Amino acid sequence: MQAERRRENRYPFIAMAEIVDEKENARTSSKVSDLSMHGCYVELMNPFPAGTNVTIEIYTDSEFLEAHATVAFLEAKQGMGLTFREMPDHFSNILKKWLTQAKSRKPN
């Protein structure tokens, strides 16, 4: 098992996502299941290989976020962890808002 390398905790966060392989321009739809200031986990039956640069768009009912990211790790037929590379300030502010909301939710 791989050692934990995250800089911050991830929080449960369910949202739809569109992911584009920046090199191949291949687009796929998926679901985000957790989120942190530096990345997220995306549920995907056919995850991209580790090291792939992608653009991710995350959508809630009222807002969306777009960021450039890199696939940090993958779990075959399950999903992949993404590390955000760059994000405009506007989207960074949305991410901070989502994380504040996610942190305040009580676990079931």
Side-chain angles (χ1 to χ4, degrees):
M1 185 168 189
Q2 192 171 351
E4 183 65 47
R5 297 184 308 188
R6 295 181 186 144
R7 293 181 271 182
E8 290 188 26
N9 289 333
R10 287 193 175 170
Y11 297 91
F13 185 84
I14 306 300
M16 298 309 297
E18 293 284 323
I19 303 162
V20 180
D21 179 329
E22 293 177 353
K23 184 176 180 186
E24 302 295 327
N25 202 26
R27 177 178 286 268
T28 189
S29 297
S30 63
K31 183 171 85 172
V32 172
S33 61
D34 66 33
L35 189 66
S36 81
M37 205 53 214
H38 300 286
C40 63
Y41 187 83
V42 179
E43 297 176 2
L44 196 60
M45 284 298 294
N46 296 308
F48 298 129
T52 302
N53 290 329
V54 300
T55 299
I56 183 167
E57 300 164 1
I58 303 172
Y59 298 91
T60 66
D61 289 338
S62 59
E63 298 174 297
F64 82 99
L65 171 156
E66 182 176 314
H68 295 282
T70 301
V71 177
F73 68 93
L74 66 98
E75 296 175 313
K77 299 186 191 249
Q78 293 182 48
M80 58 189 175
L82 300 179
T83 301
F84 298 137
R85 291 192 329 265
E86 57 185 83
M87 183 183 307
D89 288 341
H90 169 73
F91 292 131
S92 182
N93 290 334
I94 291 171
L95 176 60
K96 289 174 189 173
K97 176 182 165 185
W98 287 351
L99 287 169
T100 299
Q101 293 170 347
K103 290 175 188 178
S104 69
R105 289 188 194 111
K106 293 185 179 180
N108 295 336

